[in-house]
Amino acid sequence: MPLPLPNSEDQGARARFCAGLLRTPVCGYPAGMAKPTVGLTGGIASGKSTVAAMFRELRIPTVDADAIAREVVEPGTEGLRAIVEAFGEGVLAPDGTLDRKKLGDIVFRDGQARGRLNAITHPRIAARSAERMQELGRGEAPYLIYEAALLVENDIYRAFDALVVVAADEATQVARLRERDGIDEAAARARIVAQLPLERKIEVADFVVRNDGSVEDTREQVRRTHEALMARFGAGGTER
């Protein structure tokens, strides 16, 4: 279970999360680091990570929000200690790592518990994201990629300089979910239905990458998107 970004109903958590990102190129372009940042999102099992990897092949640095969410609650971190203090040692696996399923069972049926978790994790995710993006922003790439699942749902996409949405047809999503998570078709379709409709994400996208064809077709779309972003931001990434 990836730890959630703030949902649209938790305005305080969303504000704290975005405030943390204001110290990064996502908002404001702090002195010495004028680096545009592109949000990358998509539907469940659409292949966001595949597309992010293709951008990395083009030497565009990427920051993975899900990976950072895991980092900030690794054993020995302040984040994990705070979660244990708030929810008890029952959320730990036998090896001392966070048992995301147990924690998810608690927070996704209890709004107050979810709020406590958000208050612990979101400032840490934002701070770690800021650090990572500042590090990457010192490089020569004209822009950065920030990959996260819920940018549109949480209205955070507006903070980015452009938004890339990865899309796939429902049959492809179902097949990938069944293979990836070992679930049946009904469960896979239920997960898709629980998400914001992909069409809503496409409506606000600057670029759409279809990832339900061949790998080479997806790679070509990423290449064209990259060229368009390069043209938009220029070699120095100066467009605001």
Side-chain angles (χ1 to χ4, degrees):
M1 181 199 79
L3 297 180
L5 292 175
N7 61 50
S8 58
E9 297 178 354
D10 190 346
Q11 299 297 329
R14 186 171 67 182
R16 290 191 295 273
F17 185 83
C18 290
L21 290 181
L22 283 171
R23 297 192 294 274
T24 79
V26 170
C27 310
Y29 300 100
M33 191 172 59
K35 190 76 68 172
T37 302
V38 176
L40 175 65
T41 192
I44 187 171
S46 63
K48 295 181 293 297
S49 296
T50 296
V51 170
M54 291 178 178
F55 275 104
R56 288 194 294 273
E57 291 174 359
L58 297 169
R59 299 186 179 181
I60 298 301
T62 66
V63 177
D64 183 342
D66 282 349
I68 288 176
R70 291 182 175 88
E71 288 178 15
V72 300
V73 294
E74 288 177 346
T77 61
E78 292 182 4
L80 184 58
R81 283 194 290 271
I83 287 174
V84 172
E85 288 178 4
F87 300 100
E89 294 190 358
V91 298
L92 293 177
D95 62 359
T97 60
L98 180 64
D99 189 323
R100 288 177 169 77
K101 185 179 186 305
K102 289 181 180 178
L103 182 60
D105 289 342
I106 296 171
V107 302
F108 287 118
R109 66 168 182 261
D110 185 332
Q112 290 185 341
R114 185 164 59 250
R116 291 199 302 273
L117 176 63
N118 288 345
I120 293 167
T121 60
H122 294 158
R124 291 173 170 85
I125 294 170
R128 183 68 61 86
S129 295
E131 293 171 2
R132 192 68 48 80
M133 294 164 79
Q134 287 170 359
E135 293 168 2
L136 295 174
R138 299 186 186 103
E140 297 181 355
Y143 65 93
L144 309 176
I145 292 283
Y146 188 82
E147 177 194 352
L150 302 178
L151 296 181
V152 177
E153 289 88 336
N154 300 326
D155 213 29
I156 296 172
Y157 76 94
R158 298 177 188 276
F160 293 84
D161 298 281
L163 179 68
V164 176
V165 170
V166 183
D169 62 56
E170 186 170 317
T172 300
Q173 290 177 284
V174 168
R176 288 174 179 165
L177 281 170
R178 294 187 66 182
E179 180 178 358
R180 186 188 74 186
D181 298 343
I183 57 178
D184 62 22
E185 181 175 344
R189 292 190 182 280
R191 291 189 186 185
I192 293 170
V193 170
Q195 303 275 315
L196 182 73
L198 186 57
E199 292 75 14
R200 293 277 300 280
K201 298 184 180 186
I202 291 174
E203 287 174 1
V204 298
D206 295 281
F207 304 94
V208 177
V209 174
R210 298 290 317 185
N211 188 32
D212 44 17
S214 70
V215 172
E216 287 309 314
D217 181 56
T218 300
R219 183 172 281 110
E220 175 60 19
Q221 292 178 70
V222 170
R223 185 191 64 78
R224 292 198 301 266
T225 300
H226 170 65
E227 289 181 352
L229 289 167
M230 292 281 283
R232 174 181 294 196
F233 299 131
T238 56
E239 183 176 301
R240 305 296 168 89

